[in-house]
Amino acid sequence: MESHLGAGIAMAEALQNQLPWLENVWLWVTFLGDPKSLFLFYFPAAYYTSRRVGIAVLWISLITEWLNLVFKWFLFGDRPYWWVHESGYYSHAPAQVHQFPSSCETGPGGKPQTSLSPCGWGLLLDSPAGSPSGHCMITGAALWPIMTAISSQVASRAHSRWVRVIPSLAYCTFLLAVGLSRIFLLAHFPHQVLAGLITGAVLGWLMAPRVPMERELSFYGLTSLALLLGASLIYWILVTLGLDLSWSIRLASKWCERPEWVHVDSRPFASLSRDSGAALGLGIALHSPCYTQVRRAQLGHGQKIACLVLAMGLLGPLDWLGHPPQISLFYIFNFLKFTLWPCLVLALVPWVVHMFSAQETPPIRSS
């Protein structure tokens, strides 16, 4: 197994040292492939293009990110940037690799204690496959409805077979680039990237046709509560059974070159607060008076572009707000922030744009 992981380090070493001029490219690609970018960029852009596709992107993002969190509690997976030090594999000839600010994710996972190994936990958790790359899995699943929507549009207008496959090729190329950027940053091993790519495509294919569009508010509230309580229950059950779920945070703090690179938003419950907040915010947005008014009035192309520009101008500063120093307050702040997120994109921003441009919009005739 060490030789297998060593091959992954050798690949990262080649990417860092053989093509140093691509460093900024890999950093940008991993940023664009970050699950948070789904909320910040892809969800608003998709929603103002197609209401159904936008909601699908948000829904799949929050469900697959929750699954990624739980997967990492059950599937043991080292990260390259600490494995090169912990394993002792490079004690005689150190690997010529270095870290970046994006490398030091804490990577929540589960590491069984020896006393649980006879019960089978060791076989379950210390899986050779490790945990799939969250970047590849979550982004791959959430971008699936965008890719299929574009493919459908291209197929209806293009007669060339090669033109029709361009959306699928672009989807695969981008995700492959995301995977390579994760290897370059020492954030994942190649087998974790491959597992994430396959899992993400499968989840996107399975979930896209089953996205709930406009259900009762109680449905979204219960979904938010189920995500929050479900993950918390699994967490405390595993802790009660004796599993140390904070082992990866200690390794990240130990081997990260700079303490400020250990991101608080990669701690176990940061993504959970984001996903449960987004689920609740989706329900509130879909049942708000602002959304009701905008839904009845079809926005023009210029209005949709104005919505996207305004949403980006609001979501960017909201995302860059400082984090409270206490971790519990950070989780609460994160939950409230991402509850507001869908409300801004689905309801408030389109309502403001519609109200200010109402005089330019022809009245809707009743049928």
Side-chain angles (χ1 to χ4, degrees):
M1 188 61 186
E2 283 192 343
S3 60
H4 175 69
L5 298 181
I9 298 295
M11 184 175 180
E13 191 173 11
L15 286 172
Q16 288 190 5
N17 299 324
Q18 300 300 323
L19 301 171
W21 50 275
L22 283 179
E23 178 175 313
N24 290 331
V25 174
W26 295 129
L27 294 176
W28 267 106
V29 168
T30 201
F31 169 73
L32 293 175
D34 193 300
K36 284 186 65 178
S37 295
L38 294 168
F39 293 87
L40 185 61
F41 302 118
Y42 303 111
F43 159 53
Y47 180 76
Y48 295 131
T49 304
S50 167
R51 181 180 287 113
R52 176 172 292 275
V53 174
I55 293 177
V57 170
L58 178 62
W59 182 261
I60 294 175
S61 297
L62 63 92
I63 296 298
T64 52
E65 192 169 44
W66 186 89
L67 290 174
N68 177 65
L69 172 65
V70 176
F71 281 171
K72 290 187 185 308
W73 286 341
F74 282 96
L75 299 174
F76 173 82
D78 279 305
R79 288 188 182 266
Y81 76 90
W82 73 56
W83 184 83
V84 294
H85 303 289
E86 285 285 317
S87 65
Y89 190 75
Y90 296 94
S91 56
H92 299 294
Q96 301 300 313
V97 291
H98 56 278
Q99 299 176 9
F100 300 86
S102 301
S103 300
C104 297
E105 297 179 4
T106 58
K111 190 173 185 179
Q113 294 181 356
T114 307
S115 60
L116 290 177
S117 295
C119 300
W121 286 98
L123 294 176
L124 175 64
L125 297 169
D126 201 14
S127 169
S131 54
S133 163
H135 270 61
C136 297
M137 186 182 84
I138 301 165
T139 303
L143 293 185
W144 183 272
I146 297 179
M147 184 271 292
T148 54
I150 296 176
S151 296
S152 178
Q153 291 292 323
V154 171
S156 64
R157 299 178 182 181
H159 300 288
S160 172
R161 176 184 175 184
W162 298 107
V163 174
R164 294 179 183 179
V165 301
I166 288 178
S168 300
L169 289 176
Y171 170 83
C172 295
T173 302
F174 175 68
L175 290 180
L176 178 60
V178 171
L180 290 174
S181 73
R182 303 303 290 165
I183 298 171
F184 171 84
L185 290 171
L186 300 179
H188 288 111
F189 288 100
H191 67 278
Q192 295 169 337
V193 166
L194 181 61
L197 292 173
I198 296 173
T199 307
V202 171
L203 288 175
W205 176 69
L206 291 174
M207 294 178 63
R210 299 172 176 81
V211 172
M213 292 302 296
E214 296 183 9
R215 305 282 290 274
E216 299 80 5
L217 178 58
S218 59
F219 170 82
Y220 298 99
L222 290 174
T223 299
S224 175
L225 188 63
L227 295 176
L228 191 61
L229 294 182
S232 300
L233 181 61
I234 294 172
Y235 179 87
W236 290 113
I237 288 176
L238 295 178
V239 170
T240 303
L241 289 174
L243 275 74
D244 179 12
L245 299 184
S246 61
W247 66 272
S248 59
I249 298 176
R250 289 197 296 272
L251 285 179
S253 302
K254 178 180 179 181
W255 292 114
C256 188
E257 290 181 3
R258 299 184 184 179
E260 64 270 18
W261 288 358
V262 180
H263 312 293
V264 66
D265 58 358
S266 68
R267 294 179 72 91
F269 289 101
S271 61
L272 176 61
S273 61
R274 174 166 60 238
D275 301 331
S276 55
L280 179 61
L282 177 60
I284 294 173
L286 291 174
H287 292 83
S288 65
C290 296
Y291 176 81
T292 303
Q293 293 184 34
V294 174
R295 196 179 190 283
R296 292 173 181 170
Q298 297 295 327
L299 299 179
H301 294 298
Q303 291 172 312
K304 290 180 179 179
I305 293 174
C307 286
L308 182 59
V309 172
L310 181 57
M312 292 292 97
L314 293 174
L315 295 180
L318 182 62
D319 183 54
W320 294 326
L321 286 177
H323 302 315
Q326 297 86 358
I327 191 65
S328 57
L329 291 179
F330 164 75
Y331 291 146
I332 296 173
F333 177 81
N334 211 40
F335 177 88
L336 295 176
K337 180 171 70 173
F338 282 94
T339 300
L340 178 61
W341 212 276
C343 296
L344 284 172
V345 175
L346 271 68
L348 294 177
V349 167
W351 180 80
V352 168
V353 170
H354 174 64
M355 291 301 294
F356 277 92
S357 58
Q359 65 273 15
E360 303 174 6
T361 305
I364 299 176
R365 297 179 181 179
S366 59
S367 55

